[in-house]
Amino acid sequence: MDKFYRVPRRRGSAPVQIDFFGALRARVYDDEVRRWVAEDVGVENVCRNLVNSAEGLPVLEPPKVTLSKLMEYGRMLVDEQENVKRVQLVDKYLREAALGDAN
């Protein structure tokens, strides 16, 4: 899971920063795996290529990471976090509304 909510603080922020950059890195590799499935093997052949394959596990080239791609992923994470906050506010509103339980 790469969604998280935090209030930035000076002390103890290194693990959160590592989580953020880990989430960016994971997205880069997610894209590479999606490309491998879509272009190289196809969805119908994923299992055949991963489970008891005579050729062994697939070898993926390390993805090329650009600053613009990292910025795009960072914006996507920020947007997702904003959406999480909005959903939580809606849930809170419905719980505390006069007819919250009836909704």
Side-chain angles (χ1 to χ4, degrees):
M1 173 180 228
D2 55 17
K3 295 179 178 104
F4 51 89
Y5 176 75
R6 74 181 272 282
V7 176
R9 297 191 183 148
R10 204 164 185 67
R11 177 179 284 191
S13 65
V16 174
Q17 292 170 355
I18 291 169
D19 288 345
F20 177 78
F21 290 110
L24 291 180
R25 183 172 186 259
R27 291 209 176 206
V28 169
Y29 280 90
D30 288 347
D31 278 353
E32 184 63 18
V33 170
R34 284 187 199 98
R35 187 210 54 76
W36 174 74
V37 170
E39 296 175 11
D40 294 348
V41 297
V43 174
E44 64 281 354
N45 297 316
V46 169
C47 185
R48 188 176 315 133
N49 282 272
L50 295 177
V51 180
N52 298 327
S53 172
E55 295 87 29
L57 293 176
V59 177
L60 300 175
E61 293 294 321
K64 298 199 181 356
V65 183
T66 63
L67 179 59
S68 63
K69 187 55 89 171
L70 289 176
M71 293 297 291
E72 176 187 341
Y73 289 145
R75 281 188 215 99
M76 289 168 61
L77 285 173
V78 168
D79 291 344
E80 288 175 7
Q81 182 59 39
E82 290 300 317
N83 192 38
V84 166
K85 289 193 298 191
R86 268 192 300 277
V87 168
Q88 289 172 345
L89 289 174
V90 168
D91 289 345
K92 180 176 172 50
Y93 172 78
L94 291 176
R95 279 194 310 273
E96 294 177 4
L99 300 174
D101 290 336
N103 290 334

